[in-house]
């Protein structure tokens, strides 16, 4: 075994909390890091925040002393307002940190409309982090490393004493041993920055990585993950190029077909945990019946909606309208 994808305590210092991305278990995580001080790495989404608060309370860790956001995408940042509201109801507060580059993006979260047709809460009062800055947790330190590509404001946090690195979304989405998607996402994907990020991360002697989507990866899998990330990103980019050449960038069925043929992922079974996602299932291609019978339907729907987002990242990067 080279990964832990079950929520709970994963090392002496780290607890994985599943915030149930879009109501689905096993695809969206935040991490509680505990030393003398307690720090949450990312907040999860707005819908996921009640679950994060509940879990932190069960762990006697609410509110944490600090929340560090790896980047300003909605599913990492939009939990902050609820976490702050719940803390203030108890006359408590906590410090929120993010890259200095994330601050204007947090202050105006409307760019997230590229992902979803809804409104997003703007987030202010953020303490800016820049390359090399250390967040001291009294007995453990987290070093800020700029890792752009997936998003221009993305940072990783390196715990040198445990040789563990929190990578957020910077190198991609890996929800199973052989289910790895690239970090290509709108609206700020930058291929050159991503390659530079991989080279930079290769200089860091980490033994384990924590991914927001999803889990704690160690051993040989962690050692190979940067090369694997580059391979899947190149493969995925090629899929979008082929779709573009065929005039089928907007044909999701075509994209899924190419993806399954070329990437050959082993899609894990995912469980729907909330009514919301079950409700949504009924409306996406009338898949309600299939969802009941077909255990992989949830993963397939998520793959389709994820590819729909990713192709927007490709189009923006290529200047395609
Ligand atoms: Zn992201």
């Amino acid at each position: 075994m080279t990964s832990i994808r079950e929520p709970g305590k994963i090392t002496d210092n780290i607890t994985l909390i599943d915030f149930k991305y879009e109501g689905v278990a096993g695809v969206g995580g935040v991490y509680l890091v505990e030393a003398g001080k307690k720090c949450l790495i990312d907040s999860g989404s707005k819908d996921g925040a009640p679950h994060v608060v509940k879990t932190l309370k069960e762990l006697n860790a609410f509110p944490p002393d600090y929340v560090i956001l790896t980047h300003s995408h909605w599913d990492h940042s939009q939990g902050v307002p609820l976490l702050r509201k719940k803390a203030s109801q108890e006359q408590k507060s906590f410090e929120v940190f993010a890259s200095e580059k994330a601050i204007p993006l947090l202050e105006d979260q409307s760019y997230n409309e590229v992902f979803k047709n809804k409104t997003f809460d703007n987030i202010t009062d953020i303490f800016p982090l820049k390359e090399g800055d250390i967040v001291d947790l009294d007995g453990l330190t987290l070093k800020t490393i700029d890792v752009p590509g997936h998003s221009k404001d993305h940072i990783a946090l390196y715990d040198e004493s445990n040789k563990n690195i929190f990578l957020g979304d910077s190198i991609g989405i890996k929800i199973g041993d052989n289910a790895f998607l690239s970090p290509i996402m709108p609206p700020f994907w930058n291929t050159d920055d991503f390659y530079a990020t991989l080279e930079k991360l290769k200089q860091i002697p980490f033994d384990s990585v924590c991914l927001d989507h999803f889990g704690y990866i160690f051993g040989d899998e962690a050692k190979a993950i940067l090369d694997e990330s580059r391979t899947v990103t190149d493969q995925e980019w090629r899929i979008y190029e082929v779709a573009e050449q065929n005039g089928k960038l907007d044909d999701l069925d075509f994209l899924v077909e190419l993806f399954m043929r070329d990437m050959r992922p082993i899609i894990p079974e995912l469980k729907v945990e909330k009514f919301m996602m079950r409700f949504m299932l009924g409306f996406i291609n009338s898949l309600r019946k299939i969802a009941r019978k077909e255990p992989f339907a949830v993963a397939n729907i998520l793959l389709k909606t994820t590819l729909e987002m990713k192709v927007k990242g490709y189009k923006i990067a290529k200047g395609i309208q």
Side-chain angles (χ1 to χ4, degrees):
M1 189 184 75
T2 52
S3 64
I4 298 174
R5 293 192 171 91
E6 286 297 315
K9 204 167 173 74
I10 47 183
T11 71
D12 287 346
N13 307 103
I14 305 170
T15 302
L16 168 57
I17 300 170
D18 186 343
F19 71 82
K20 314 285 168 69
Y21 176 91
E22 301 290 35
V24 180
V27 291
V30 298
Y31 295 88
L32 175 68
V33 187
E34 294 179 277
K37 297 214 184 300
K38 298 177 198 294
C39 176
L40 191 67
I41 309 281
D42 282 326
S43 70
S45 62
K46 186 176 188 171
D47 294 333
H51 184 73
V52 173
V53 171
K54 181 171 170 276
T55 308
L56 289 173
K57 286 191 171 181
E58 287 164 5
L59 297 166
N60 289 317
F62 188 81
D65 298 287
Y66 307 132
V67 174
I68 307 179
L69 303 177
T70 59
H71 62 301
S72 61
H73 278 159
W74 65 278
D75 50 333
H76 304 261
S77 63
Q78 283 285 300
V80 168
L82 186 92
L83 290 171
R84 279 179 165 164
K85 186 175 159 196
K86 293 288 176 191
S88 81
Q89 284 169 355
E90 299 178 13
Q91 282 79 47
K92 291 173 182 166
S93 64
F94 54 88
E95 192 89 60
V96 183
F97 298 83
S99 164
E100 56 186 354
K101 298 182 190 79
I103 289 181
L105 300 171
L106 289 163
E107 287 176 347
D108 180 2
Q109 282 270 276
S110 61
Y111 82 86
N112 280 294
E113 286 161 19
V114 72
F115 296 104
K116 285 180 167 209
N117 187 17
K118 60 178 281 191
T119 55
F120 297 88
D121 297 324
N122 295 330
I123 301 164
T124 56
D125 297 321
I126 305 292
F127 189 91
L129 293 173
K130 55 184 188 309
E131 175 81 17
D133 280 354
I134 302 278
V135 180
D136 190 344
L137 305 185
D138 276 353
L140 185 156
T141 58
L142 296 171
K143 185 176 183 183
T144 307
I145 300 161
D146 285 333
V147 287
H150 173 77
S151 180
K152 61 186 177 184
D153 61 334
H154 207 305
I155 54 172
L157 297 145
Y158 183 51
D159 167 7
E160 199 170 355
S161 55
N162 294 298
K163 292 195 170 182
N164 177 64
I165 189 161
F166 297 91
L167 288 175
D169 290 353
S170 60
I171 64 152
I173 300 169
K174 190 169 188 184
I175 57 168
D177 294 340
N178 191 13
F180 200 165
L181 279 82
S182 84
I184 297 169
M185 274 290 161
F188 304 121
W189 170 255
N190 184 304
T191 306
D192 292 339
D193 283 355
F194 167 67
Y195 287 153
T197 282
L198 288 182
E199 291 310 310
K200 190 174 181 183
L201 288 171
K202 279 185 182 171
Q203 307 306 313
I204 299 169
F206 61 78
D207 289 335
S208 58
V209 303
C210 291
L211 302 182
D212 280 9
H213 311 277
F214 185 84
Y216 176 78
I217 295 169
F218 53 95
D220 291 344
E221 193 177 345
K223 296 263 176 277
I225 202 160
L226 298 178
D227 288 337
E228 197 185 352
S229 169
R230 184 175 182 129
T231 302
V232 296
T233 301
D234 290 347
Q235 282 177 323
E236 211 182 281
W237 188 264
R238 183 72 195 133
I239 284 168
Y240 303 138
E241 283 180 335
V242 169
E244 186 188 349
Q245 285 154 13
N246 285 276
K248 289 190 168 182
L249 267 179
D250 295 316
D251 185 338
L252 284 179
D253 290 324
F254 183 75
L255 285 175
V256 169
E257 200 184 305
L258 280 185
F259 185 84
M260 298 307 284
R261 191 196 70 191
D262 293 351
M263 311 283 281
R264 299 180 174 274
I266 298 170
I267 305 270
E269 180 180 346
L270 297 175
K271 291 188 184 71
V272 175
E273 300 226 344
K274 279 190 190 166
F275 174 73
M276 182 184 62
M277 180 71 181
R278 284 201 291 272
F279 182 77
M280 200 173 112
L281 281 176
F283 284 90
I284 299 176
N285 303 330
S286 306
L287 277 167
R288 188 188 290 272
K289 278 185 194 156
I290 306 167
R292 237 182 261 128
K293 286 186 222 148
E294 165 58 71
F296 303 106
V298 177
N300 287 331
I301 290 166
L302 273 185
L303 174 63
K304 209 170 200 176
T305 54
T306 305
L307 287 178
E308 189 177 11
M309 287 186 240
K310 290 158 107 10
V311 84
K312 285 182 191 172
Y314 173 83
K315 283 182 177 180
I316 293 169
K318 295 272 306 253
I320 301 166
Q321 292 303 310

